[in-house]
Amino acid sequence: METLLANAQQHFKKTYQDLQHLLQLLQDVLKESGEAQLAEQIPWIGQAGVPDELTTRHLQLYSLVFQLMSMAEINTAVQHRRRAEDESGDPEPGLWVEAFRRLQEAGVSKEEALRALRQISVEPVLTAHPTEAKRTTVLEHHRELYLLLVQRENQMYNAREREELNLEIKENLYRLWKTGEIYLEKPDVTSELRNVMHYLLEVFPDLIQILDRRLEKAGESFGIAPGTLARAHAYPKISFGDWVGGDRDGHPLVTADVTQHTLLRLRLNAFVAIRRKLARLVRHLSFACQIEELIPEAQERIREMVEELGEKTGEEALDRNKGEAFRQMANLMLVKLPVDTQRGHAVQLSERPGCYFHSEDLVKDLTMLQRALDAHGATTVAYREVVVVKRVVETLGFHLAALDIRQNSAFHDQAVSQLLKAALVPDTDFGSWSEQKRLEFLSRELESARPFTHPDAVLEDNARAVAECYRTLKSHTEKYGINCLGSFIVSMTRSVSDLLVVYLLAREAGLTEMTEEGLVCTVPVVPLLETVDDLERGPEILRNFLEHPFTARSMRYLMKTRHWEKPRQQVMVGYSDSNKDGGIMASQWYLYKAQQRLSRAGADMGVDILFFHGKGGSISRGSGPTAAFLNALPCGTLNSRIRLTEQGETIAQKYAYKLNAAYNLELLVAGTFARTVLDRQAPCEGHPMEAILERLAQDSREHYAALLHTDGFIPFFRQATPIDAIESSKIGSRPAKRTGASTLADLRAIPWVFAWGQSRYHMTSWYGLGTALQSLEKEKPEAYTALKAQCEDEPFLKYVLQNVDNSVGEVDESIMAAYAALVEDEAIRERFLKMFRQELSLVRQQLDQLLGGDYESRHPRRARSNEMRSVVLQPLHRHQIALLERWRAEKARGAKQAAHTQMELMLTINAIAGAIGTTG
């Protein structure tokens, strides 16, 4: 085992030196805690090695070890990028420097680049699907440990300081060792919100300045003079969205009260973040200057702010820093924030007179402060320090993150039926009506502002839930403005009526407004196209929706109130269910085609389409390298704007550590910028290999579907994977099934992928593609040759194949067979194991032919990492299999021990998830 670590150090020195150091400190912690035997069983350094028989202490230990390994790998990547920027002339792919180089090569002018920068809008949306297998407390300990690991990079430390740093690392490791890794009780939405809030409050506000500075520096290489971006305020728009507390699709615990609590917490923490930046600015503006020396407009604005706050509050704020006019002006802004403070910290929302209502008002005052500083000669402060605060206010607003409200179309149908029943309408079975009947009814109703019921009416469950939610939104937005809301998202959108229904429900709660043109909805309604069939029907649904008079009126209203230059419609595309429905190749290709066709449909109607990518944390659910993902999108579909979900463990992997977080956010913003500008340089055309990719998608989908419909598949899936344990887990607040039915259709894509990953099949990211490629090679050799020639250069094809290649590298055939042994019916077991092995062999063979070499030569670092992880994973999987067998038997006979066995089983799930780096 030590030889394995030594070999790894020889090839990838820094990563495994850091890992060895952390493991040795962990070994010390265990020995000092009286666990010397366990200390010698730490993988790669322990004398005893990993034992065959594992206890719960081993499971906890190896879960921690894998976290340390991932931490060391991330730190190495961060430090490598930092050194490369200084030493290498080649820019890191996807970052600002490379983006400007690509524009330069394409002959893009500085003026065009500056215009495009102002148009860019990027919005990561944080979600809390049941995929994050670690507690928030544990995540916080990991963040602290990472910062200590980074401090080890400081070459200035002397021996005593290094010893002190090691003691701090040991203290942190002790806390991690003594803290339970998994949830003993299912977490509630509030605890998930706390986790998301950490990133929104503690990480993202600091990233904006880092990205802006890197943009300014990279712009200089493009010929943009220093200070130009700041003076023109030509920065891309970065904002954030949130689903925690708003996403109620199959999640009965997200009530109206939860949504109200979420909106208030988001608003309060927006002021916490802004106040930190503004207070820092106040401290830095200690220039001797009388108010009378300021430009007249600034003097007038100071007088107005004092009057707005009232004589007592305003004069007190003004008197604090006499003779320091800029500080006085900034301090008035601080006092105008609508929060009450204790000991300098914002603690609750306030309704004091004179406070800001809209974030735009604070931005205007900061702009006035900039002008005053510039006129005074403090140009650097005006266009650096004030810009930092302005950018944070523009990014967070007074709402921190826009809350989306998502619900399933079937739930809405039931809500409408219940409203019709309450209104004593004779025919109430709305869900069974034909599409034509639904459309005629909805169009007629939407001409009137009259609701079906009064606010005090007693409603059945679905109608009550929707009405209470929408009324909560109405109350909050009337008080604080509409910017806190993102969109109403309709999951499983199958028809136009699924979207128009939301307008009807909004009318019930008063989220509509009567304009001169007629009734409109004040919140955008967004289709979520999830299955392959929905993606195929998407353009027709979109056209009919946009053509509807109510939609057209509402869009004109939104253009006016949200200051859009032209009509804009958001469309969400789902990566998870399309993959579960059709397999990896069909999912990726039909998503590509759908975006092309949806974008054209919008263009034909003069509407910009903003795509919202519903991506998850695994290859099967849309994950992949950001730069490659953006380059693989269809030409013209980015169009300067993108939204995408960041789910589960992906949030921690990307954003837990600030330097890594800045890198990942820069990839997204710089990549969106470069792709948008380059797409405008020439007319967009269809994919050059469309016919070949269409064939691959259809053939792979057919083969994938044949697997799912082969007799015995459900028993095999339920016995050869730990799906039943995952369904019983305490990982996320949301149920694993939408309605509770024990069918494949009702099972969410997340536990579906999670289960196949735990048993190391990972079949959702490769099954069907090998057969499709072999068929193409045999039946269309010329097309196959053309495909092979494009594998390195064509962005979409390269992205898909490399993602599949990465996922196939995680498959372990021996572990697959061990889980298959749990299947009771021998015929079923042998049938499916043979199918999986044959397809896996085919896809590996095809990847080697198309990409060249073998997996290890293509991915040496990943292969070495997999080899090291395998030392611990093999016994972990064997232990999980034994526990599954015991737990299922105990449940079957109603034994009390089942609960204890389940807890140990969850520890194995957590450890394996940490080892392979993904849950769902």
Side-chain angles (χ1 to χ4, degrees):
M1 291 252 279
E2 287 188 23
T3 302
L4 189 60
L5 186 59
N7 289 338
Q9 285 186 12
Q10 183 181 348
H11 291 88
F12 308 107
K13 185 175 180 181
K14 175 166 176 53
T15 300
Y16 298 106
Q17 280 184 344
D18 283 352
L19 176 61
Q20 184 175 30
H21 184 74
L22 290 172
L23 293 180
Q24 286 171 343
L25 293 177
L26 176 60
Q27 195 172 54
D28 290 345
V29 167
L30 292 178
K31 288 177 179 177
E32 291 163 10
S33 302
E35 302 193 65
Q37 182 180 357
L38 196 60
E40 293 304 331
Q41 294 170 336
I42 292 178
W44 314 306
I45 67 166
Q47 294 297 316
V50 179
D52 291 330
E53 296 295 325
L54 302 182
T55 67
T56 55
R57 302 298 277 169
H58 291 107
L59 299 178
Q60 184 182 348
L61 173 64
Y62 298 144
S63 180
L64 175 55
V65 164
F66 284 128
Q67 295 300 328
L68 298 181
M69 188 175 183
S70 297
M71 195 177 294
E73 290 173 341
I74 289 172
N75 185 52
T76 297
V78 169
Q79 302 309 326
H80 171 75
R81 288 193 296 266
R82 296 178 76 180
R83 283 195 303 273
E85 283 190 354
D86 289 337
E87 300 169 3
S88 171
D90 294 329
E92 177 82 16
L95 299 182
W96 282 121
V97 172
E98 199 240 1
F100 280 115
R101 188 190 69 177
R102 292 170 66 190
L103 266 57
Q104 203 161 30
E105 291 171 352
V108 176
S109 69
K110 287 184 286 187
E111 293 73 23
E112 188 177 355
L114 285 169
R115 278 197 304 274
L117 278 170
R118 291 190 186 93
Q119 296 168 352
I120 299 302
S121 176
V122 169
E123 186 175 357
V125 180
L126 307 189
T127 79
H129 283 271
T131 61
E132 180 54 82
K134 294 183 292 297
R135 293 172 54 201
T136 306
T137 301
V138 173
L139 291 172
E140 288 168 353
H141 292 332
H142 286 168
R143 291 165 197 141
E144 291 171 7
L145 180 57
Y146 179 79
L147 292 176
L148 294 170
L149 185 61
V150 171
Q151 284 185 45
R152 291 189 70 244
E153 305 297 328
N154 191 335
Q155 300 298 313
M156 301 297 290
Y157 283 168
N158 60 30
R160 185 190 59 77
E161 289 169 328
R162 287 195 297 272
E163 184 181 350
E164 182 62 31
L165 184 59
N166 285 338
L167 286 173
E168 288 188 55
I169 292 174
K170 286 172 66 174
E171 288 170 4
N172 186 285
L173 289 170
Y174 181 80
R175 284 194 295 273
L176 276 168
W177 177 242
K178 292 297 183 180
T179 303
E181 275 270 337
I182 64 171
Y183 288 105
L184 298 177
E185 297 296 333
K186 207 166 181 66
D188 57 14
V189 181
T190 304
S191 63
E192 291 176 334
L193 182 63
R194 278 197 301 271
N195 190 24
V196 166
M197 204 68 75
H198 169 86
Y199 297 95
L200 293 170
L201 180 60
E202 305 296 342
V203 178
F204 293 136
D206 293 337
L207 301 189
I208 308 305
Q209 179 181 353
I210 297 173
L211 261 64
D212 287 352
R213 295 283 189 267
R214 292 179 57 82
L215 166 60
E216 290 161 357
K217 192 66 181 174
E220 292 177 22
S221 68
F222 189 67
I224 299 173
T228 301
L229 291 171
R231 282 191 171 275
H233 209 65
Y235 297 105
K237 176 178 172 55
I238 300 171
S239 57
F240 299 97
D242 173 38
W243 272 21
V244 181
D247 180 13
R248 49 225 329 118
D249 177 13
H251 199 332
L253 300 179
V254 181
T255 63
D257 287 342
V258 167
T259 296
Q260 182 178 35
H261 170 77
T262 300
L263 288 167
L264 292 173
R265 295 299 300 174
L266 288 168
R267 182 171 174 84
L268 175 61
N269 280 290
F271 293 126
V272 172
I274 291 169
R275 197 176 192 287
R276 287 175 182 174
K277 300 297 182 186
L278 198 48
R280 184 176 184 274
L281 180 63
V282 170
R283 291 195 300 272
H284 286 197
L285 292 176
S286 55
F287 314 143
C289 176
Q290 300 297 324
I291 291 176
E292 293 74 22
E293 298 176 52
L294 300 181
I295 57 175
E297 300 93 323
Q299 294 181 43
E300 177 61 26
R301 181 58 191 142
I302 287 174
R303 283 193 289 271
E304 289 174 356
M305 285 196 281
V306 171
E307 290 175 9
E308 289 163 4
L309 287 167
E311 186 175 342
K312 184 176 184 296
T313 305
E315 291 295 342
E316 281 180 3
L318 194 65
D319 288 345
R320 260 173 226 163
N321 306 104
K322 284 190 174 180
E324 298 172 347
F326 299 111
R327 215 177 206 180
Q328 288 174 295
M329 188 174 185
N331 192 57
L332 283 165
M333 297 180 210
L334 199 63
V335 175
K336 280 174 68 65
L337 292 177
V339 285
D340 291 333
T341 60
Q342 290 179 7
R343 298 178 182 175
H345 298 287
V347 293
Q348 65 181 29
L349 297 172
S350 171
E351 307 297 329
R352 288 181 286 105
C355 288
Y356 291 116
F357 182 74
H358 291 297
S359 59
E360 291 86 350
D361 296 331
L362 175 53
V363 171
K364 287 177 184 175
D365 283 345
L366 287 165
T367 304
M368 178 64 71
L369 177 61
Q370 263 186 316
R371 288 179 54 202
L373 284 162
D374 195 16
H376 189 71
T379 303
T380 302
V381 176
Y383 292 105
R384 282 182 70 85
E385 295 201 61
V386 179
V387 164
V388 169
V389 185
K390 266 180 76 172
R391 288 282 286 151
V392 167
V393 176
E394 289 168 340
T395 298
L396 305 181
F398 284 175
H399 56 277
L400 197 64
L403 185 69
D404 284 338
I405 305 298
R406 183 175 76 136
Q407 185 53 278
N408 195 286
S409 58
F411 192 98
H412 286 156
D413 283 355
Q414 291 177 302
V416 172
S417 291
Q418 291 166 9
L419 284 173
L420 293 174
K421 185 177 177 181
L424 304 179
V425 175
D427 186 357
T428 62
D429 192 8
F430 180 76
S432 67
W433 292 2
S434 69
E435 178 67 2
Q436 182 178 349
K437 182 176 179 180
R438 285 160 65 102
L439 287 174
E440 288 173 356
F441 167 78
L442 291 166
S443 297
R444 186 170 61 251
E445 282 296 325
L446 290 172
E447 290 301 313
S448 166
R450 165 197 49 77
F452 285 115
T453 62
H454 58 80
D456 296 328
V458 177
L459 301 174
E460 293 180 61
D461 291 350
N462 297 61
R464 183 177 70 253
V466 173
E468 287 177 350
C469 170
Y470 284 18
R471 283 168 187 154
T472 294
L473 302 178
K474 170 71 172 175
S475 173
H476 188 88
T477 55
E478 277 186 336
K479 192 172 186 179
Y480 298 122
I482 199 74
N483 290 343
C484 60
L485 293 186
S487 306
F488 288 138
I489 298 173
V490 184
S491 55
M492 291 298 172
T493 297
R494 301 286 168 83
S495 64
V496 178
S497 63
D498 286 340
L499 301 172
L500 297 179
V501 157
V502 181
Y503 289 146
L504 191 71
L505 295 169
R507 183 191 72 175
E508 201 67 17
L511 283 169
T512 51
E513 192 170 304
M514 184 59 74
T515 67
E516 291 182 1
E517 289 189 75
L519 195 66
V520 299
C521 185
T522 59
V523 181
V525 173
V526 172
L528 169 48
L529 306 171
E530 300 183 78
T531 68
V532 169
D533 289 341
D534 294 343
L535 289 167
E536 288 287 272
R537 287 197 301 268
E540 180 187 358
I541 294 171
L542 179 67
R543 280 195 181 91
N544 293 335
F545 179 59
L546 294 177
E547 285 174 350
H548 195 277
F550 193 96
T551 305
R553 285 198 307 270
S554 296
M555 192 166 291
R556 287 190 289 272
Y557 170 85
L558 291 169
M559 274 184 65
K560 181 179 178 181
T561 57
R562 301 196 177 199
H563 311 296
W564 295 344
E565 292 182 4
K566 63 181 294 189
R568 186 184 306 169
Q569 175 63 45
Q570 186 182 146
V571 176
M572 187 171 183
V573 288
Y575 288 69
S576 304
D577 281 283
S578 59
N579 176 277
K580 177 169 169 266
D581 184 40
I584 187 68
M585 190 67 215
S587 170
Q588 291 290 323
W589 175 242
Y590 289 124
L591 280 161
Y592 185 98
K593 278 204 311 178
Q595 289 172 72
Q596 270 189 328
R597 295 168 61 216
L598 288 160
S599 187
R600 288 174 191 156
D604 291 344
M605 303 183 72
V607 177
D608 281 346
I609 303 301
L610 162 60
F611 286 104
F612 181 8
H613 299 266
K615 291 155 57 71
S618 61
I619 299 299
S620 309
R621 298 184 51 243
S623 181
T626 300
F629 163 71
L630 294 170
N631 286 330
L633 292 174
C635 178
T637 56
L638 261 180
N639 198 20
S640 77
R641 299 182 187 91
I642 189 171
R643 290 186 99 210
L644 75 172
T645 54
E646 300 284 18
Q647 297 183 2
E649 74 281 348
T650 302
I651 300 174
Q653 288 169 358
K654 285 187 175 181
Y655 302 116
Y657 317 124
K658 285 183 184 176
L659 287 177
N660 200 49
Y663 166 73
N664 281 294
L665 192 56
E666 183 176 342
L667 285 174
L668 184 58
V669 183
T672 301
F673 165 65
R675 187 66 204 274
T676 294
V677 177
L678 293 172
D679 280 356
R680 292 172 179 173
Q681 304 310 301
C684 289
E685 299 175 353
H687 197 286
M689 306 187 72
E690 183 169 352
I692 297 174
L693 293 170
E694 183 70 31
R695 175 187 167 124
L696 288 176
Q698 290 180 0
D699 286 357
S700 64
R701 185 187 183 189
E702 287 175 8
H703 196 61
Y704 176 87
L707 171 75
L708 269 57
H709 292 100
T710 298
D711 186 43
F713 176 77
I714 295 297
F716 181 90
F717 168 60
R718 296 204 67 84
Q719 293 174 38
T721 75
I723 182 60
D724 46 351
I726 290 168
E727 288 171 341
S728 303
S729 73
K730 311 293 183 184
I731 295 173
S733 68
R734 188 153 80 160
K737 301 174 185 176
R738 283 191 164 92
T739 67
S742 291
T743 64
L744 197 58
D746 193 64
L747 182 69
R748 292 186 182 280
I750 297 166
W752 163 255
V753 174
F754 196 173
W756 287 115
Q758 283 277 309
S759 51
R760 301 299 293 284
Y761 285 74
H762 295 285
M763 77 88 174
T764 55
S765 57
W766 54 265
Y767 196 91
L769 182 56
T771 294
L773 286 167
Q774 184 192 53
S775 172
L776 183 70
E777 182 183 18
K778 287 182 176 179
E779 298 174 16
K780 300 281 185 179
E782 291 182 3
Y784 185 86
T785 302
L787 181 83
K788 185 175 181 178
Q790 292 293 317
C791 284
E792 275 301 311
D793 300 320
E794 202 292 305
F796 172 77
L797 181 61
K798 181 179 180 180
Y799 178 70
V800 174
L801 290 180
Q802 289 194 345
N803 278 344
V804 173
D805 194 32
N806 284 331
S807 192
V808 168
E810 303 290 334
V811 177
D812 189 307
E813 283 192 72
S814 64
I815 294 174
M816 283 169 51
Y819 278 91
L822 290 168
V823 178
E824 296 168 359
D825 187 308
E826 183 181 359
I828 291 176
R829 178 172 65 246
E830 294 305 318
R831 180 188 311 146
F832 285 98
L833 195 54
K834 181 180 179 182
M835 292 173 73
F836 282 119
R837 281 174 165 161
Q838 287 178 339
E839 185 64 20
L840 180 62
S841 176
L842 275 179
V843 77
R844 281 177 169 159
Q845 176 191 334
Q846 288 294 327
L847 289 169
D848 289 349
Q849 287 181 194
L850 293 171
L851 301 179
D854 57 15
Y855 180 81
E856 187 167 350
S857 64
R858 292 193 295 271
H859 307 282
R861 186 180 295 274
R862 188 183 291 267
R864 182 69 62 179
S865 178
N866 288 348
E867 183 184 5
M868 287 190 63
R869 291 169 194 266
S870 179
V871 169
V872 189
L873 273 169
Q874 291 279 348
L876 275 175
H877 283 295
R878 288 196 298 270
H879 190 58
Q880 184 180 88
I881 290 166
L883 288 172
L884 273 171
E885 196 166 22
R886 186 203 309 168
W887 178 61
R888 287 167 179 170
E890 288 169 349
K891 279 201 309 174
R893 64 175 187 267
K896 291 181 180 179
Q897 304 99 300
H900 180 268
T901 305
Q902 182 186 353
M903 181 53 62
E904 191 172 350
L905 190 51
M906 287 312 303
L907 285 169
T908 67
I909 289 174
N910 190 63
I912 292 169
I916 62 179
T918 183
T919 48

